[in-house]
Amino acid sequence: MTLSFFDQFIIPQALGIPLIIIAIIIPPLLILTMTNRLIPNRLSTLQLWATKTFTKQLMFPINTPGHKWAAILTSLMLLLISLNLLGLLPYTFTPTTQLSMNMALAVPTWLATILLGLRNQPTVSLGHLLPEGTPTPLIPILIIIETISLFIRPLALGVRLTANLTAGHLLIQLISTATFVLTSSMPMTALLAFIVLLLLTGLEIAVAMIQAYVFVLLLSLYLQENV
């Protein structure tokens, strides 16, 4: 093979313009369906029910001031799910396999929760850096450790999403390549590989939705600490 397995993660370009912008714009167009009817269709009803259920589940443990973030977190959840699922289609590109994009989503939202806590309850927010009942000699070390863990949070958000999606795409490409190569020489082995490919595809669909949910859920937990 002349192409590398990692070539699928290169941002496609047309006339020198990155097509990642189009890939990000398309999912909201699929979700935000406008209608002038009083009674929506079944698809709109299903979208509304799923959005309402997710928002209620996400905002349940958060205090009332944090409910202002419901629209932001729900929109982020729908965007990530759409990008992850559309990236599983053939001849498509998955923007969420790019660490730069995931960090661009994780860092501003994480920083907003930190600044919100420092503005509304600075004592409580700074108190998370030092657990209660810490021995005096360990106070400087624990403050340094907790500060490092605090700044690692957005990096963990971005790397977790990137690593899981990248690993899944690589596995699908490896098994599909093996299936194609073994079809002529070892048909039974190719059939087994094809069955594994179907199972892996179903698993990746679940991973795409779960990782989007985990991304937003962790952001809601960070928000809960600061409201």
Side-chain angles (χ1 to χ4, degrees), residues 24-164:
I24 297 175
I25 292 177
I26 290 179
L29 298 180
L30 299 177
I31 298 173
L32 303 176
T33 55
M34 301 297 294
T35 177
N36 55 0
R37 294 182 297 179
L38 295 178
I39 302 177
N41 54 24
R42 294 180 180 179
L43 179 60
S44 300
T45 304
L46 181 61
Q47 291 178 354
L48 181 61
W49 173 81
T51 304
K52 182 179 179 180
T53 303
F54 168 74
T55 305
K56 184 185 298 185
Q57 184 71 22
L58 190 66
M59 293 291 111
F60 180 75
I62 301 179
N63 298 332
T64 304
H67 292 179
K68 300 176 182 177
W69 285 63
I72 298 176
L73 296 179
T74 304
S75 301
L76 182 60
M77 169 76 172
L78 295 176
L79 176 64
L80 290 176
I81 286 182
S82 302
L83 291 176
N84 294 347
L85 292 180
L86 289 177
L88 293 174
L89 297 176
Y91 302 104
T92 56
F93 171 70
T94 312
T96 44
T97 56
Q98 303 295 318
L99 182 60
S100 57
M101 176 181 172
N102 295 334
M103 293 301 296
L105 294 174
V107 172
T109 49
W110 165 82
L111 185 60
T113 60
I114 298 299
L115 295 178
L116 181 66
L118 293 176
R119 187 190 68 177
N120 295 337
Q121 44 182 14
T123 304
V124 177
S125 297
L126 294 177
H128 291 302
L129 300 178
L130 185 62
E132 186 177 358
T134 304
T136 304
L138 297 179
I139 288 179
I141 300 176
L142 283 180
I143 291 178
I144 295 175
I145 294 175
E146 291 295 330
T147 303
I148 294 175
S149 65
L150 179 65
F151 283 97
I152 285 179
R153 285 180 175 181
L155 181 62
L157 284 176
V159 171
R160 180 186 296 107
L161 183 59
T162 303
N164 281 280

Side-chain angles (χ1 to χ4, degrees), residues 175 185 201 227:
I175 297 178
S185 60
T201 303
V227 295

Side-chain angles (χ1 to χ4, degrees), residues 165-176:
L165 295 180
T166 302
H169 283 65
L170 286 176
L171 281 176
I172 289 177
Q173 186 169 2
L174 286 171
I175 297 178
S176 60

